[in-house]
Amino acid sequence: MPGRFYLLDVMRGFASLAVIIYHFPLFFVATHPTVAKVPREEQPFYPLLFPFYEHGFMAVQLFFVLSGFIFYWMYLDEVRERRVRGWRFFVLRFSRLYPLHFVTLLMVAGLQFAHQSTSGSFIFYHQNDLKHFLLNVAFVSHWGWQDDWSFNAPIWSVSVEVLLYAIFFVFARLGLQSFAACLLMMAAGAGLAHLATDQSIGYAVYCFYAGCLACRLYLSLRDRVFVVRRGPICILGCALVVVVGARLAQLVPGAYLPLVLFGLVFPALVLTLALIQEFSHESGRSIRLLGDLTYSTYLLHFPLALCFRVLDQHLFIQPAFASYGIFCGYFGLLFALSCLSYFWLERPAQRYFRMRLMPMQPKVP
């Protein structure tokens, strides 16, 4: 059994990059008139990165599937057997997610109000009032009380994940772990997505428990039939499901596309990588930093875009954001800032809060 799913960490890193690439032209087109004149297909490296430019937003649902898999694997038994109780579970998640969220919230608030004081308007996201600030502080910015996007808006998916964690804790504490229980939660999520005006929470529940279902299948394969001579067969079978599911997703009506893509293709892809990890424990270890920096890159990319806009306004710096050099420079700077954030803010803050808020050092990372 692998000690860590490096390949899933790397996939999470690539999913973050997919979202950032999708946002790259959106953020700069909205704030720089010169970029608005550049067609989307002429954005940097478009022939290579066009799936990210066109469909990168779907990577958020992949985040939810990955989270479901990892939480089922890491926390289900811990919570069910009460080795991890409610306070410990809260501190483990709070210490990992909240410090950078709060810092980036303050960064974006400062930049937005600095821009408004001179131009009279906010940049890109406009619901930057006290109500939405408090929703962000409470980490509930996308639980249905919001009027629109606000402050560091990409945090919406993490806000929804916090809700998913609370639901999962109850799910695990009740001892629910079967295939049927996971399918029931997926059905509830699909129903909520169909009935609600805002589909994001419903699809998040659907995706999260699709990931749980994938982990349940992984554990069954590992415990019952996964040996060296059968490993490649399992991997090829799951990979075939990914290919067939992707083809099926192109044929189904648009209303059913999310159900096939998020409930079949993404979980099968996650399961395939997990089985490869079972077969080769060190796969992906050398590039695990990409996964470690996922949260940093995801939360810092909009504040960095705002910094460019404020510099543009006050220093009259107008870089050609549609150029290859600026594109590479932007991502290089984002990666450097993410490294600083991870090693100098997130990890120290995580250790500090866990030492102060829990009576003993956590066993679960």
Side-chain angles (χ1 to χ4, degrees), residues 30 40 58 79 81 99 137 159 183 189 264 288 333 351-352:
R40 191 178 186 88
M58 292 185 179
V79 173
E81 297 171 6
V137 168
S159 167
L183 286 171
L264 177 63
R288 65 188 183 278
L333 180 57
R351 288 193 296 268
Y352 173 81

Side-chain angles (χ1 to χ4, degrees), residues 31 52 74 81 88 91 156 186 229 237 302-303 320 333 343:
T31 58
F52 297 159
M74 181 180 292
E81 297 171 6
R88 184 181 179 86
V91 173
W156 78 266
M186 287 179 65
R229 61 190 176 87
F302 181 62
L333 180 57
F343 290 108

Side-chain angles (χ1 to χ4, degrees), residues 1-9 73 218 222 226 228 235 273-286 288:
M1 179 176 178
R4 176 176 171 181
F5 289 100
Y6 297 113
L7 292 176
L8 299 189
D9 287 341
W73 172 69
Y218 160 77
R222 187 200 65 187
F226 198 97
V228 172
I235 293 168
L273 294 180
L275 291 174
I276 293 173
Q277 195 80 73
E278 180 74 30
F279 196 59
S280 176
H281 290 181
E282 298 301 306
S283 295
R285 188 175 188 274
S286 60
R288 65 188 183 278

Side-chain angles (χ1 to χ4, degrees), residues 248-302:
L248 179 64
Q250 296 176 338
L251 301 177
V252 299
Y256 299 100
L257 174 61
L259 298 179
V260 175
L261 191 62
F262 306 154
L264 177 63
V265 178
F266 286 177
L269 179 58
V270 170
L271 178 58
T272 302
L273 294 180
L275 291 174
I276 293 173
Q277 195 80 73
E278 180 74 30
F279 196 59
S280 176
H281 290 181
E282 298 301 306
S283 295
R285 188 175 188 274
S286 60
I287 54 174
R288 65 188 183 278
L289 182 62
L290 181 62
D292 291 337
L293 299 182
T294 298
Y295 192 55
S296 307
T297 55
Y298 187 70
L299 260 63
L300 287 171
H301 76 281
F302 181 62

Side-chain angles (χ1 to χ4, degrees), residues 71-213:
F71 268 70
Y72 193 98
W73 172 69
M74 181 180 292
Y75 285 113
L76 183 78
D77 290 338
E78 298 281 333
V79 173
R80 180 170 55 86
E81 297 171 6
R82 288 171 168 74
R83 295 194 297 269
V84 170
R85 296 183 180 273
W87 177 249
R88 184 181 179 86
F89 185 78
F90 167 78
V91 173
L92 290 171
R93 294 298 87 210
F94 171 86
S95 62
R96 177 66 186 98
L97 299 176
Y98 199 81
L100 183 59
H101 161 59
F102 189 69
V103 169
T104 53
L105 172 61
L106 295 181
M107 289 172 58
V108 170
L111 289 166
Q112 288 280 27
F113 284 102
H115 185 271
Q116 188 206 38
S117 66
T118 55
S119 68
S121 64
F122 294 120
I123 303 172
F124 205 79
Y125 301 121
H126 299 281
Q127 293 294 333
N128 301 314
D129 52 22
L130 179 60
K131 169 189 171 180
H132 289 86
F133 182 79
L134 294 176
L135 289 177
N136 277 272
V137 168
F139 231 154
V140 296
S141 59
H142 208 79
W143 285 23
W145 298 306
Q146 74 281 359
D147 298 321
D148 207 341
W149 304 105
S150 64
F151 294 98
N152 192 16
I155 196 66
W156 78 266
S157 62
V158 188
S159 167
V160 171
E161 282 222 21
V162 170
L163 178 60
L164 295 176
Y165 298 159
I167 296 171
F168 177 80
F169 184 86
V170 176
F171 177 88
R173 180 55 61 87
L174 293 175
L176 302 176
Q177 58 179 320
S178 65
F179 286 103
C182 294
L183 286 171
L184 184 62
M185 293 299 294
M186 287 179 65
L192 181 61
H194 177 72
L195 296 174
T197 303
D198 184 354
Q199 298 179 326
S200 55
I201 293 179
Y203 276 130
V205 172
Y206 179 78
C207 293
F208 187 91
Y209 284 94
C212 290
L213 188 66

